[in-house]
């Protein structure tokens, strides 16, 4: 009797072990065939931009993708700004954050508004690299002083009122470098009888509409809704920037030269030489390789869902997502991009 019981137990054990082995083989087969493999739920927070803004749209979209693809995942979005996000994410205070590439570059260099160098910024994926700097001037002011270029402003020294974005904001630095490339300082503008307003993009556009401002600039997608709305009630022109300005901005901000194609706007008949800005998702450098791999895999393999968030994200590709310069790619993200042959 004892012998029969022993044989029965041995048989059951053998069957259980065989079953486990088959499940392991099936799991391995699924992974090899590229089928979806369930991962552990994630618990994440992402810091982006202002409430209701473009980065908010991206943040909520990323959260939706991660929750859908990884059941049980908890994701929350917080408002913020690029500079603050660089500091918070790099120091491990928050898992994920969005920042302009030029904000990352400034952080690594310890340039204002950063008070010290950020030793390392770790990137997960790049989001876009096609936001052109758009420099706008009111047509009536341009015609009054014969201005068709930034060179004309430097030569004719008109009493121009400029909106350069909020003081200490990285976009303000972009505008400051634009003027610097032409040998113009804020003090020069004031000495000419002009004024410098530290107003953000939309408030500056409103001031132009109300004849309180003559010039403003910002790296935004084109065509930009704010400019289109402004042009409906106020005649405006876009000014090109020359090669020297393009070079200076690329050196200082990491914004490569680009061209805003003619007829992007109804009021823009010619190509406009400018530079392009981009943005990325940064990640806590202490995040585990497995978790970073899972997030990267989920986002890249759901690229269509990211592209669907906004028409200007349609140009996003897996290859572009892998380029997080000047940040360092997280080892988990790097592992995924190498597995897919996107990186060598």
């Amino acid at each position: 009797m004892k012998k029969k019981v022993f044989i029965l137990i041995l048989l059951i054990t053998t069957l259980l072990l065989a079953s486990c082995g088959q499940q392991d083989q099936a799991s391995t087969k699924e992974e090899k065939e590229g089928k979806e493999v369930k991962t552990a739920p994630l618990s994440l927070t992402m810091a982006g931009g202002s409430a209701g803004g473009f980065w908010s749209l991206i943040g909520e979209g990323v959260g939706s993708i991660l929750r859908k693809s990884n059941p049980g995942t908890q994701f929350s979005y917080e408002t913020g700004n690029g500079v603050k996000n660089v500091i918070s994410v790099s120091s491990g205070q928050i898992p994920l954050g969005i920042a302009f590439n030029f904000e990352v570059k400034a952080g690594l260099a310890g340039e204002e508004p950063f008070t010290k160098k950020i030793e390392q910024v770790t990137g997960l994926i790049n989001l876009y690299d096609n936001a052109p700097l758009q420099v706008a001037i009111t047509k009536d002011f341009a015609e009054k002083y014969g201005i068709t270029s930034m060179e004309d402003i430097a030569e004719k020294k008109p009493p121009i009122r400029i909106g350069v974005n909020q003081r200490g904001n990285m976009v303000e630095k972009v505008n400051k470098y634009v003027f610097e490339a032409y040998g113009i300082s804020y003090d020069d503008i004031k000495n000419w009888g002009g004024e410098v307003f530290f107003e953000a993009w939309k408030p500056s556009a409103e001031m132009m509409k109300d004849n309180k401002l003559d010039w403003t600039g910002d790296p935004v997608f084109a065509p930009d809704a704010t400019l289109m709305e402004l042009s409906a009630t106020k005649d405006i022109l876009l000014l090109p920037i020359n090669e020297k300005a393009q070079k200076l901005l690329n050196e200082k901000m990491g914004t490569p030269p680009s061209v805003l194609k003619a007829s992007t706007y109804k009021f823009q008949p010619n190509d406009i030489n400018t530079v392009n800005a981009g943005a990325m998702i940064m990640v806590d450098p202490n995040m585990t390789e497995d978790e970073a791999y899972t997030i990267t895999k989920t986002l890249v393999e759901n690229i269509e869902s990211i592209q669907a968030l906004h028409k200007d994200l349609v140009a996003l590709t897996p290859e572009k997502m892998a380029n997080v310069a000047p940040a360092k790619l997280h080892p988990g993200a790097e592992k995924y991009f190498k597995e897919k042959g996107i990186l060598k």
Side-chain angles (χ1 to χ4, degrees), residues 190-208:
K190 294 173 185 177
N191 291 334
W192 301 342
E195 293 182 78
V196 179
F197 292 91
F198 294 93
E199 297 287 348
W201 180 237
K202 289 185 178 181
S204 288
E206 285 296 318
M207 290 178 70
M208 291 179 82

Side-chain angles (χ1 to χ4, degrees), residues 78-227:
E78 293 182 358
T79 58
N81 63 68
V83 172
K84 179 182 176 182
N85 297 346
V86 170
I87 296 170
S88 298
V89 175
S90 297
S91 61
Q93 297 175 46
I94 194 166
L96 302 171
I98 303 175
F100 280 117
N101 297 48
F102 56 70
E103 290 168 327
V104 171
K105 183 176 177 65
L108 291 169
E111 296 179 353
E112 292 184 354
F114 293 91
T115 57
K116 62 179 181 179
K117 287 186 178 181
I118 305 296
E119 292 302 319
Q120 179 179 316
V121 179
T122 307
L124 195 69
I125 64 165
N126 198 52
L127 287 167
Y128 59 87
D129 60 1
N130 56 329
L133 170 64
Q134 296 169 67
V135 174
I137 190 170
T138 59
K139 187 176 181 180
D140 53 1
F141 185 88
E143 290 181 343
K144 182 177 180 178
Y145 292 96
I147 295 170
T148 61
S149 66
M150 289 295 298
E151 286 91 344
D152 288 335
I153 295 176
E155 180 183 342
K156 299 180 179 182
K157 302 176 175 54
I160 190 168
R161 301 165 298 179
I162 63 174
V164 295
N165 218 292
Q166 295 170 319
R167 194 186 299 272
N169 181 294
M170 291 302 297
V171 175
E172 183 263 319
K173 289 200 71 173
V174 170
N175 286 325
K176 189 174 183 179
Y177 284 135
V178 168
F179 282 100
E180 184 180 304
Y182 295 89
I184 304 169
S185 68
Y186 290 165
D187 285 340
D188 289 332
I189 290 170
K190 294 173 185 177
N191 291 334
W192 301 342
E195 293 182 78
V196 179
F197 292 91
F198 294 93
E199 297 287 348
W201 180 237
K202 289 185 178 181
S204 288
E206 285 296 318
M207 290 178 70
M208 291 179 82
K209 181 179 177 181
D210 296 335
N211 299 314
K212 296 177 180 178
L213 200 68
D214 308 306
W215 184 105
T216 191
D218 208 332
V220 287
F221 288 128
D224 175 65
T226 297
L227 277 185

Side-chain angles (χ1 to χ4, degrees), residues 13-67:
T13 302
T14 303
L15 289 171
L16 286 172
L17 289 172
S19 176
C20 290
Q22 289 174 353
Q23 288 177 0
D24 288 342
Q25 289 175 5
S27 176
T28 302
K29 183 180 179 182
E30 284 181 348
E31 291 175 358
K32 287 181 178 179
E33 292 177 354
K35 295 180 180 178
E36 184 177 353
V37 180
K38 292 183 179 180
T39 56
L42 305 168
S43 180
L44 300 167
T45 298
M46 174 183 281
S50 58
F54 180 61
W55 284 0
S56 176
L57 176 73
I58 291 178
E60 296 293 353
V62 165
S64 178
I65 293 167
L66 292 173
R67 283 190 291 262

